[in-house]
Structures are given as C-alpha cells and as structure tokens.
Amino acid sequence: MSLQTPLRGLRCFCVAAECLSFKETAKQLYLTPSAVSHQIKQLEDNLNLSLFERKTRAIELTESGKQFYHAIKPLLEQLSQTINQFSQVERTQEVSISMPEFFASELFVPRLRGWSEQYPNINLTLETVKSRRETPKYTDVSVVLSGKKPQDVLSYDLFPISYIPACNPSLFQKLHGKGYRVLEKTPLILHQARPTAWHQWAERVGYHQFQPKQIIQLDSMFSVARAAQQGLGVALIPMPISHAWFSSGALVKLFEQDLLSRDRYYLVQHNEDPERPEIKLLIDWVLQSFNTPEVALQPAS
C-alpha cells in the first residue's frame, strides 16, 4: 500500500469520523466534498473495509469504522507531535538574557562557544548591565547580583561571592610581607556600590584603627579590576568570578583573608511561555555551566 495516499486519507477519515459530514470535512481541510469522498473511498478500497454508512443527508461510522478510528487516531496524533518536535528543533529561535557586565565578560562570554555548539539554531541576545541601579532592557531571563533571593519571580541560586585584596605583580613585590599597615600607604580601590567594603574587610581581619590614605570608587567591577592591573592601587576583587585575572598573572592576592558577602548571583526567569522551549534550554545551560563555584572556576574550553 502506498504510504503517501493513505496518510492523506487517514487524516481525512479522522476529521470525517469526528464531524460526520463530508461537507464539513472538506471545509476544515480546504478541499472539495468530492475530493473528501474520493480519499475516503480510496482508503476503504485499500483497507477492504466499509468505514461509513452513507445516507441521503448524513454519514455514520460502521462498527469497523469506529474500531479503526479509535485505533488510528492516537497514532496520527503521535505522528503529528513528532513532526512538530523536529520542526521546532530545526527552526531558528530567539532567546534573550541580561546580566552584570563583569559576569558577562568573565564567565558568560568565554563559554558562549559551548552554547553555540549545543544549540546552533537558537539565536541569543545578550544585554549587559553596568550597575545595580541601571534598569536593564526586558529579556526572557537575567542574571542578577543581590543580597537576597529575588521575590515574586522564578529564580535559581547560582553561587555566592567574596572579595579579596589584590594588586598587580609589581605592586605586590613592594607591599608583600609588610603587614596590613601597607594599606595606609597606597590607594585602595573598590566598587562604588560597596563604599564601606574596605572598612568591613579591616574589621573582619582585626585591623583596628584602619585609616586608609586614599579610597577610589569606580562604577563598574571591570574598571576596578583594570585599575588594579594597571598598578593604581590595591582593589577588593570578587571571587570566584575573577579567577581568570589571577590564573593569568594579571592580579595577585595581597592577603589571603577575604571579605565574605551576602551577595549571590541568581538566575531569574521573566518569561514562562510554555510555547518557547528555548527559554528552558537557556536556563538549563546556565545552571549547568555556572551554578557552583567549582564550575565557575574551571577555564572556559
């Protein structure tokens, strides 16, 4: 039996079995009533079964027709789902994500090759946010740095951060081994979102009567790290997100004691459209790639 003809006939038969009208079937399938009648007659001939009782103004399923309908309907539905599934995979999809600028440059962008190789048919739009006060553009999901878990939205915990005093190798050679008081003789750099961070660090390590010579506040963490790399002073650098700066030798830890923080990175889902599975794929990929410090510390491949 030819496969192409029965598939058209099977679909036609199922519609006719549900509405019990060749005229209505023709309307739903954008065919003529004679075409519907021809396809069903051809199917009956191929099966050697009578599927409908044809009356003057109506049609009814025969017993064989009823049994055949209940048997074939779920198979056609499964076939349709399978075709839709593969069509979904092949079509070009769009998904968007926003995140802090430093997270993007240090973690996300270096691993984008992995996303592209795994999902070559999903176009990704990345929006970066320079500071917490900046309102990002609307995106399907976002990575946020916050002292508490975002409320009233679906969110996932990624990892916490701490801050470590660091400087470039040249300045390290001048300051290393001379104790905490060297911090009173060189500029101290931090992000303006945490203006008291250096005093908090000093309190944590028991450095009392801390009197810094100069504190420089910058409006982005990338600027903080770059200033330290250029030798401007000692900066409080977030870990583990800044691992690459240390592994490359651009920065060196001046002291091992870090400043623990309530800040954590969270992944927030804004769009919960069940018809867009690409959003769930992006969420799963981010969680797999960045939801533990150990994973975050691994070099991008």
Side-chain angles (χ1 to χ4, degrees):
M1 182 171 60
S2 170
L3 186 60
Q4 183 178 4
T5 300
L7 283 176
R8 293 201 306 267
L10 289 172
R11 181 167 178 251
C12 187
F13 163 72
C14 287
V15 175
E18 291 163 359
C19 63
L20 294 177
S21 168
F22 286 173
K23 183 177 180 181
E24 180 62 27
T25 300
K27 182 178 179 181
Q28 291 189 28
L29 297 179
Y30 300 97
L31 298 171
T32 64
S34 61
V36 170
S37 180
H38 175 74
Q39 287 190 23
I40 291 178
K41 182 63 169 64
Q42 187 177 41
L43 178 62
E44 289 177 320
D45 291 343
N46 286 333
L47 295 173
N48 196 26
L49 284 176
S50 176
L51 300 174
F52 289 101
E53 292 182 13
R54 294 160 175 81
K55 300 183 177 181
T56 305
R57 295 186 177 180
I59 57 172
E60 292 182 4
L61 284 167
T62 63
E63 284 303 314
S64 296
K66 291 177 183 178
Q67 294 175 15
F68 186 66
Y69 171 75
H70 290 303
I72 202 66
K73 178 65 174 179
L75 298 178
L76 287 180
E77 289 178 345
Q78 180 61 49
L79 178 61
S80 178
Q81 291 174 5
T82 301
I83 292 173
N84 288 338
Q85 177 184 351
F86 278 86
S87 297
Q88 185 84 347
V89 169
E90 291 302 321
R91 73 174 178 86
T92 299
Q93 300 165 298
E94 306 281 345
V95 66
S96 58
I97 185 171
S98 63
M99 63 188 64
E101 182 181 55
F102 201 62
F103 189 101
S105 66
E106 302 309 305
L107 289 184
F108 195 82
V109 172
R111 287 167 172 77
L112 269 183
R113 180 178 176 182
W115 165 267
S116 298
E117 291 177 346
Q118 193 169 353
Y119 304 109
N121 295 314
I122 304 180
N123 291 337
L124 178 68
T125 299
L126 170 62
E127 299 283 347
T128 59
V129 182
K130 192 171 185 179
S131 70
R132 300 189 202 188
R133 293 190 296 269
E134 182 181 343
T135 302
K137 295 181 180 178
Y138 176 82
T139 52
D140 298 314
V141 296
S142 61
V143 175
V144 300
L145 181 62
S146 176
K148 59 182 180 179
K149 188 173 183 178
Q151 301 298 312
D152 302 323
V153 291
L154 185 59
S155 61
Y156 307 84
D157 188 359
L158 294 181
F159 57 86
I161 61 172
S162 60
Y163 296 87
I164 194 79
C167 57
N168 71 3
S170 177
L171 188 57
F172 176 82
Q173 293 299 323
K174 296 179 182 179
L175 304 179
H176 179 59
K178 296 182 180 180
Y180 296 144
R181 293 202 174 276
V182 297
L183 298 177
E184 298 182 1
K185 301 177 182 180
T186 187
L188 304 182
I189 310 164
L190 49 72
H191 196 294
Q192 65 182 22
R194 302 185 64 89
T196 63
W198 269 113
H199 289 82
Q200 292 172 350
W201 180 88
E203 182 179 349
R204 165 172 164 69
V205 301
Y207 180 10
H208 304 296
Q209 298 180 341
F210 176 54
Q211 296 180 341
K213 171 185 176 181
Q214 183 183 37
I215 291 181
I216 298 175
Q217 299 184 30
L218 301 176
D219 65 352
S220 75
M221 191 53 69
F222 186 81
S223 297
V224 170
R226 182 65 73 190
Q229 181 196 26
Q230 296 297 321
L232 181 60
V234 180
L236 282 176
I237 302 296
M239 295 295 290
I241 192 172
S242 303
H243 175 74
W245 292 77
F246 295 92
S247 62
S248 69
L251 292 178
V252 182
K253 296 179 182 179
L254 182 58
F255 301 105
E256 289 297 326
Q257 297 91 334
D258 60 356
L259 173 63
L260 300 178
S261 168
R262 292 183 303 173
D263 287 342
R264 303 180 73 90
Y265 282 104
Y266 296 93
L267 179 65
V268 178
Q269 181 176 355
H270 303 294
N271 192 328
E272 299 182 50
D273 186 352
E275 299 300 319
R276 296 186 58 200
E278 61 269 25
I279 297 176
K280 182 63 166 57
L281 291 176
L282 176 60
I283 290 173
D284 290 344
W285 182 79
V286 171
L287 293 178
Q288 182 181 2
S289 302
F290 308 111
N291 70 342
T292 66
E294 290 78 11
V295 172
L297 285 171
Q298 293 177 1
S301 58

